[in-house]
Amino acid sequence: MRALQMTQVFVLCTGRCGSKTFTRAAEHMTNFTAKHESRTHLLGANRFAYPVNHIEIDNRLAWWTGKLNQAYGDTPFYVHLTRDRDAVIKSYVARKNYGLVKAYRETMLCNLPLRKPNTDITAIAEDLVDTITSNITYFLRDKTRVMQMRMETMEQDFPAFWDWVSAKGDLAAAMTEWTVRHNATE
């Protein structure tokens, strides 16, 4: 009898690209748990103590790739979830006063708009998206189990992902989640 392989799946993304919807779809798997940003409140080794047979969808992981690599290396499945760049930027611009783009502007860039009044929120959102994408691309460059997935092609990509990780459960119900806008920007 073949031993059951246990694994983790990490979905890396910029945010604003369907990560909550991905979670909802993956929750229809019976041989994996799936959570969205489930350990963001923890520090050190606890931050990366994900259970086996778990799918973690967390845009913040792109900032912690060094620790993610130390904890898991090339063992897990990695997904790079993307969406049309301009759509992601537009979504971040609409959320300019809270969340990641606000934190990036006020802390990572040290209040860039206050020091450079001509810098607009679109330029900041562009820089944020490009920085995160670059971090993910660099991290994944030497990983052997990587899948690229796009919001715009989920009709084909999610069933391929389902097969790739040998998921069990209700794929039809999972696909229905992609017709619902979870955590949409108004």
Side-chain angles (χ1 to χ4, degrees):
M1 180 175 201
R2 193 175 136 216
L4 180 64
Q5 182 180 3
M6 305 241 205
T7 193
Q8 288 87 12
V9 178
F10 295 105
V11 179
L12 307 172
C13 63
T14 60
R16 314 307 317 144
C17 60
S19 59
K20 283 238 180 163
T21 305
F22 195 109
T23 304
R24 296 287 174 96
E27 287 173 341
H28 290 281
M29 296 176 177
T30 56
N31 59 331
F32 283 93
T33 57
K35 298 288 181 192
H36 185 263
E37 301 173 0
S38 68
R39 302 185 72 78
T40 58
H41 60 288
L42 299 170
L43 298 173
N46 288 330
R47 173 68 166 88
F48 297 94
Y50 294 100
V52 294
N53 292 350
H54 176 74
I55 301 169
E56 185 66 23
I57 303 94
D58 183 354
N59 69 320
R60 290 168 183 84
L61 289 173
W63 301 103
W64 305 107
T65 55
K67 286 186 173 186
L68 182 62
N69 194 64
Q70 284 177 336
Y72 294 98
D74 194 33
T75 303
F77 290 91
Y78 292 102
V79 172
H80 187 184
L81 176 62
T82 60
R83 177 183 177 199
D84 175 75
R85 179 179 177 271
D86 291 338
V88 174
I89 290 164
K90 182 178 177 183
S91 184
Y92 272 123
V93 168
R95 292 171 167 248
K96 66 184 175 189
N97 291 320
Y98 64 99
L100 184 58
V101 73
K102 181 178 190 285
Y104 188 73
R105 181 184 77 235
E106 292 181 359
T107 61
M108 301 289 283
L109 298 177
C110 301
N111 285 315
L112 180 63
L114 300 177
R115 293 188 297 138
K116 305 264 187 195
N118 294 332
T119 302
D120 66 31
I121 191 63
T122 300
I124 292 168
E126 288 172 347
D127 191 68
L128 168 68
V129 169
D130 293 344
T131 299
I132 294 171
T133 301
S134 177
N135 287 348
I136 293 168
T137 301
Y138 185 77
F139 173 72
L140 294 176
R141 77 194 181 288
D142 62 351
K143 302 298 182 266
T144 57
R145 296 199 295 180
V146 175
M147 178 177 270
Q148 303 290 327
M149 298 177 72
R150 291 188 52 78
M151 262 301 285
E152 294 81 8
T153 57
M154 267 316 142
E155 203 168 284
Q156 298 83 34
D157 290 354
F158 198 78
F161 167 76
W162 189 279
D163 289 341
W164 187 53
V165 298
S166 301
K168 308 238 182 299
D170 190 343
L171 178 57
M175 293 308 295
T176 300
E177 297 293 348
W178 293 102
T179 66
V180 179
R181 293 186 68 196
H182 298 283
N183 197 32
T185 300
E186 299 302 322

